[in-house]
Amino acid sequence: MHALHPLYPRDDKQLAAYRAACTLKTCPIKDSYYAYRPSLSTNAAFLALFSFSLCCFILQAALSRRFIGFTIAMVSGCSLEVLGYIGRIMSWYNPFNQNGFLMQIVCLTIAPAFLAAGIYLTLSRIVITFGPENSHIKPLSYPRIFIPCDIISLLLQAIGGGMASVASHQDKSPNTGDHIMVAGLAFQVVTLLMFQLLCLDFMIKTLRRMRAMGDAALDPKHAVLRGSTKFRAFLVALGLATFCIFIRSIYRVAELSEGWTGALIQDQHLFIGFEGAMVIVAVLVLNIFHPGYCFREGYVQKKYRNLFRKKEKRSVDVGDEKGSQVRDASSGAATPVREVAVNGADIKEEQSDAAAA
């Protein structure tokens, strides 16, 4: 047992050769890439949950046909999470295998950058719902500021992960790539912090204007949507998801700052709590309170009959400031959009915002 342990290497090439010859029977687990054996049941559970979330986002996109940018970001992030946990399950069978370790550390590190992008895309919709006057910056400025920042973070993490992976395969030190990954994660933490501060600033300004002006501080076209329980629940879910990804990113900065042999990366319980649990909570709450569902009160469904008297439903964006008209399919009569508003409230998803998301 552990016959190879006396030959424990002193440099990267020797370490790689040593681990390549190791099995669970011949080497102590502390000499593996993790210094522990990844839990099969826990990682299988995370794999199942992220796979379920991925399927839900795809189905929800097909049903709502809205928030396409949000969907692309969430599907991309969940896909990487699935790949990452496949890598960890591979490592349960052999924690000395390099491929499973590299697969999970790269995929699980960069996946939340995509999830953060999906979150950033929703803020402009929220600002429009309450009224652009309550924000210090224009609604479309939010994605224009934060999406490029997220791309920079993603590129740094991806480049760093690629460099570390190549170096590891060449039996060289992955430290340079690891430092670039940490820089990308740190940039992501700063971006998420600024995002949360701007959200807080928007909330404070909105509440102050409401105390001073009452309902006049809010955009009347979106009164029905603002009063919706689903919309309010979405705001809570979005805040929770943002906080979870923020805490997870702080943990990964601290973890990877110690390198691939630090104390934090060798603690499986911390990984489960601050990586797996935080990210799965973020995606599941956005599945339950999907914006395509929670913003549905902002769209009016009006029934039409065609020439053959078959009932049809058509989604109408209500509240066109120019008084655009909806044409009846049977009579050809044009009806101002305002006449088909729900509860007298004109609600419209801004065209420019729809293009951004």
Side-chain angles (χ1 to χ4, degrees):
M1 182 73 68
H2 309 322
L4 295 178
H5 185 53
L7 303 178
Y8 192 78
R10 297 183 182 278
D11 60 37
D12 296 313
K13 288 186 177 181
Q14 289 177 332
L15 179 58
Y18 168 72
R19 284 172 171 164
C22 278
T23 67
L24 289 169
K25 292 182 178 180
T26 60
C27 300
I29 193 66
K30 71 181 183 65
D31 294 343
S32 69
Y33 283 97
Y34 302 87
Y36 62 82
R37 191 179 187 186
S39 169
L40 178 62
S41 59
T42 302
N43 289 295
F46 280 132
L47 175 60
L49 288 171
F50 280 111
S51 298
F52 172 75
S53 179
L54 172 62
C55 293
C56 285
F57 279 123
I58 295 173
L59 179 61
Q60 288 167 327
L63 293 176
S64 68
R65 297 183 181 181
R66 296 183 184 274
F67 292 90
I68 302 303
F70 172 84
T71 297
I72 292 173
M74 302 307 288
V75 167
S76 299
C78 286
S79 298
L80 287 170
E81 292 287 342
V82 168
L83 291 175
Y85 283 100
I86 290 175
R88 288 186 70 84
I89 290 174
M90 289 169 57
S91 295
W92 177 83
Y93 290 99
N94 184 6
F96 300 95
N97 182 271
Q98 187 181 72
N99 293 329
F101 175 76
L102 292 176
M103 183 175 174
Q104 64 89 31
I105 200 169
V106 173
C107 291
L108 296 182
T109 298
I110 67 176
F114 288 95
L115 305 179
I119 290 173
Y120 298 150
L121 287 171
T122 62
L123 183 56
S124 59
R125 302 279 186 109
I126 295 171
V127 171
I128 288 172
T129 301
F130 283 93
E133 299 81 8
N134 296 303
S135 175
H136 285 107
I137 62 177
K138 296 180 180 179
L140 282 180
S141 295
Y142 289 101
R144 289 171 180 170
I145 292 171
F146 289 106
I147 294 302
C149 290
D150 198 63
I151 291 174
I152 293 172
S153 171
L154 178 61
L155 288 175
L156 287 172
Q157 293 176 57
I159 292 170
M163 291 177 61
S165 178
V166 170
S168 185
H169 277 299
Q170 294 176 348
D171 300 334
K172 297 179 180 179
S173 173
N175 288 344
T176 300
D178 179 67
H179 294 159
I180 296 174
M181 290 175 70
V182 171
L185 283 166
F187 192 79
Q188 182 177 322
V189 168
V190 173
T191 303
L192 282 165
L193 178 61
M194 294 303 300
F195 177 78
Q196 292 175 93
L197 290 176
L198 282 176
C199 289
L200 182 62
D201 175 72
F202 172 70
M203 181 183 72
I204 292 173
K205 185 177 180 182
T206 301
L207 292 174
R208 285 177 176 173
R209 294 186 79 241
M210 287 180 64
R211 282 196 291 267
M213 304 169 58
D215 290 341
L218 305 176
D219 191 333
K221 296 192 297 295
H222 303 284
V224 173
L225 178 58
R226 286 194 304 273
S228 166
T229 301
K230 292 179 290 186
F231 175 73
R232 294 177 179 179
F234 169 75
L235 297 180
V236 175
L238 187 71
L240 176 60
T242 305
F243 180 75
C244 286
I245 293 177
F246 179 65
I247 294 299
R248 171 266 173 196
S249 298
I250 293 175
Y251 160 71
R252 292 310 294 265
V253 169
E255 177 200 52
L256 292 177
S257 294
E258 298 179 344
W260 290 7
T261 58
L264 291 177
I265 203 170
Q266 295 179 359
D267 191 322
Q268 181 168 208
H269 295 97
L270 287 178
F271 178 88
I272 292 171
F274 287 102
E275 171 66 36
M278 288 292 172
V279 180
I280 196 60
V281 168
V283 297
L284 288 180
V285 296
L286 291 176
N287 279 131
I288 298 171
F289 302 104
H290 190 279
Y293 168 73
C294 293
F295 278 75
R296 194 164 57 182
E297 298 293 336
Y299 310 117
V300 176
Q301 299 290 329
K302 181 170 181 176
K303 294 182 179 180
Y304 292 87
R305 293 177 182 270
N306 61 16
L307 295 175
F308 300 97
R309 298 181 179 276
K310 291 182 180 180
K311 292 183 178 180
E312 296 180 347
K313 273 189 175 183
R314 178 181 173 187
S315 179
V316 180
D317 288 336
V318 183
D320 192 338
E321 294 178 357
K322 296 180 180 179
S324 61
Q325 298 179 333
V326 176
R327 190 168 298 279
D328 191 294
S330 59
S331 66
T335 305
V337 174
R338 295 185 180 86
E339 295 182 10
V340 297
V342 174
N343 295 332
D346 293 330
I347 300 172
K348 175 183 174 63
E349 178 187 30
E350 300 289 342
Q351 295 178 354
S352 58
D353 183 54

